[in-house]
Amino acid sequence: MEPLPSDWPTWDTGRLEAEIAGHNRRYWDDQAPSISDYDYDRLVERLRALAPESPVLRAMGPTIGALGAPVEHLASMLSLDKTYDEDSLQKWAAKFEGELVMTPKIDGLACSIRYTRGRLEVAATRGSGEIGEDVTINIRLFDDVPPRIPVDETVEVRGEVFLPLSAFHALEGDFANPRNTAAGALKQKNPDKFKAFGLRFFAYDVLGVPIETEHEKFACAKAWGFVPVEHALVRRDQVQAGYEAYVARRDDFDFEIDGVVFKANRLDEQVRLGATAHHPRYAIAYKLQGESATTVLRDVEWSVSRNGVLTPVGIVEPVKLSGATVTRISLHNWGLVQSKGLSLDATVVAMRRGGVIPYLEAVVKPGDRPIEPPAECPSCGAAAEVSGDLVWCRNPQGCRAQTIANLNHYAKVVDIEGFGQVWLEKLLDAGVLHAPPDFYRITAQDLVEFDRMGETLAAKMVAAVDARRAVSLPVFLQALGVRDLGKTAATTLAERYGTLDAVRAATPEALTELSKFGELVARHVTEGLAEKAHLIDALLEHVEVTPVAVREKPRGGPLFGKSFLFTGTLARMRREDAQDRVIALGGTAASGVSKNLGYLVVGSEGKAGSKLQKAEKAGVPVLSEDAFVELLERAEAESRATRSSEAQASQAQAPDGVAGAQSP
Ligand code: IVH
């Protein structure tokens, strides 16, 4: 650094800090800087030399929230779609033109760093994808993150914060894994302690600059002083080899990788493909296989699920998988046992992927003792029934295992604390608890009767129930244990209908208009709710179900008022994706032919069958897949144009909007 001119005052640290803080305020909050950037930088460098740990150096942005404060992302931070095999990767890659970029998927935390007028303004974790947590003061301490970039527009650099394995192993204390440690470290308030962790940041995305390819983004990030994640351009026929090369190098990196990310290199293709609410269609993570080990299957036990399915569990010779000893593996269902030709004493490969319970991956050598489906339910003794891939216990009322599983499910979903498996069994056997409404009738007197239950614990359990007498609609729906009505479906239903009465009144046809509700799911849900009418009514005597705000279907949109029905197999996209895209444009996905149907789309593969005949009879327009895609793309272009003119209008008021080159 050049010596300061002699006429510059020789401030002490305190005055220098106050001076810089004043300039910060004038620059960021008042947008009226009183000195040049050059002079400001000199002051900052001076302070850095005098007091490198000064808090003022960590707060050189606008007066924003503290560590952990909510930060709204300018463009949603989505997650990645996943694939586990080459086939589906190739199907995905066939949807766009041009090369692909390939990068390792680092197991860390996504972070977005925003620059305004060239200065690091705010950094935030991904959070919900819409709103993240402020981590600016710690991100400023990264050597991998420049405080300034030579660009005036608002720009976002996104990437992965991670803890190098070498740094993780050097830590003393009880740290579960690098990822969780990195997440904890980012929240560290003490700068010395934070720096001691040695977190790093690799950039994988740049938003807000007018460039044409992913590849250029990396060059851009690098030129600004970031470390871009390792990347390569590949052709379609090189993706599998590229993936395998990463598998082979997996242990060589100083960070954990859990997959390989592929993206369409051309941004115009990315814009054309767009995104679902969850992930962009132009990127995918080809996940690495989990750890596997060979062992011998000795026995099969049948466990009873909540809805009466008898599931086979393999008992195997103890084997080490990801550091834990495994003796039980999931065999999924009776169909899998048959299709794998499984027998007792077979040598099998057990696999664990992404932290889930280990399961049977392959049979290496068959055994010689056949496996039979159970003749009766291991819990209640009722005759078991084989139907397709599944074995059923059709005795829901009289089966202890099902009753307990249902009580357990209700307590878990509604989040009633203290009712673990052991207590549920005791309470059921004592006749205190049989169905979910009984939770709300339990008194402390009922409970103190039991061994190992004092008055304090009894009061606590009753209070835990009382704390859950108001239950939000999606939670209530999920807690009922209706087939196919899991968390996502319950949320979709609740957001569409708002109240329990409206959900109960919905027809299967109406449900098929919702995202991810096919005909079968719609039927299971409506039938399940009808079958459980008695349970619902009984629960309503004790529980207040709180409604949720109805999420309005997008009004307008280029396909507003038009319904689409698909038949045959689509060659260019999955049917669910086609439906999602129609819905995103304001249209609806129909479940059957009626004269009100907008279009019947006939897939290019397979036969169209009776729907086509019916549609022709009803005078419904029929589209080939190509014609449909053309219509869709035109509508998407129209919608983009509308949005960008809306965005321009709103940018006129808020000049700092990120002109997302790739935001869908
Ligand atoms: S590209 C739409 N590239 O994976 C997001 N992500 O499930 C596109 N990740 O939250 C991100 N390494 O934090 C990309 N080389 C890489 C990555 C990567 C890790 C994370 C990222 C994201 C998650 C997606």
Side-chain angles (χ1 to χ4, degrees), residues 54-273:
S54 165
V56 171
L57 291 171
R58 305 177 77 206
M60 290 190 306
T63 326
I64 43 167
L67 202 55
V71 174
E72 192 170 346
H73 297 302
L74 293 182
S76 318
M77 290 186 82
L78 299 177
S79 73
L80 284 166
D81 202 4
K82 300 185 196 106
T83 177
Y84 287 94
D85 57 76
E86 187 187 1
D87 259 10
S88 44
L89 183 72
Q90 289 294 357
K91 271 201 191 118
W92 166 79
K95 294 178 183 167
F96 55 86
E97 301 280 321
E99 290 175 303
L100 300 95
V101 280
M102 170 175 81
T103 56
K105 184 168 185 301
I106 301 170
D107 194 11
L109 301 122
C111 184
S112 163
I113 309 175
R114 191 190 305 166
Y115 289 81
T116 300
R117 283 167 280 142
R119 291 188 187 173
L120 195 165
E121 180 190 0
V122 63
T125 59
R126 173 166 182 262
S128 68
E130 306 300 326
I131 296 184
E133 283 190 11
D134 195 315
V135 288
T136 318
I137 58 165
N138 282 335
I139 290 292
R140 285 187 198 285
L141 297 175
F142 274 71
D143 293 333
D144 299 324
V145 175
R148 297 284 214 109
I149 61 169
V151 183
D152 263 353
E153 290 77 31
T154 295
V155 159
E156 259 185 63
V157 177
R158 293 181 174 180
E160 201 76 354
V161 168
F162 64 95
L163 182 64
L165 289 174
S166 50
F168 177 71
H169 294 311
L171 289 176
E172 282 169 18
D174 186 18
F175 294 101
N177 59 54
R179 189 174 187 285
N180 289 2
T181 310
L186 268 184
K187 296 189 183 142
Q188 176 56 249
K189 290 200 170 107
N190 176 319
D192 293 327
K193 287 191 185 160
F194 170 76
K195 281 205 107 169
F197 278 100
L199 296 192
R200 304 225 31 208
F201 178 82
F202 281 179
Y204 56 63
D205 204 358
V206 171
L207 279 79
V209 282
I211 44 184
E212 289 175 3
T213 63
E214 282 294 315
H215 208 246
E216 285 170 70
K217 288 184 181 178
F218 293 119
C220 218
K222 185 156 185 221
W224 295 340
F226 287 95
V227 181
V229 66
E230 157 180 320
H231 51 281
L233 270 179
V234 289
R235 294 188 315 264
R236 246 165 222 81
D237 58 351
Q238 295 172 317
V239 293
Q240 181 65 18
Y243 167 80
E244 283 169 16
Y246 272 115
V247 175
R249 287 170 61 205
R250 183 178 194 171
D251 295 335
D252 301 344
F253 294 108
D254 194 18
F255 42 82
E256 290 190 337
I257 69 170
D258 58 348
V260 180
V261 179
F262 289 95
K263 287 187 187 174
N265 186 38
R266 279 171 42 182
L267 300 197
D268 59 342
E269 284 295 87
Q270 295 191 355
V271 170
R272 185 178 67 76
L273 289 170

Side-chain angles (χ1 to χ4, degrees), residues 304 307-310 375-377 380-388 390-399 402 483:
V304 188
N307 50 12
V309 176
L310 304 184
E376 55 199 38
C377 170
C380 68
E385 180 188 315
V386 178
S387 164
L390 304 181
V391 186
W392 292 88
C393 162
R394 304 278 195 200
N395 179 26
Q397 298 308 324
C399 180
Q402 285 182 61
R483 187 167 177 196

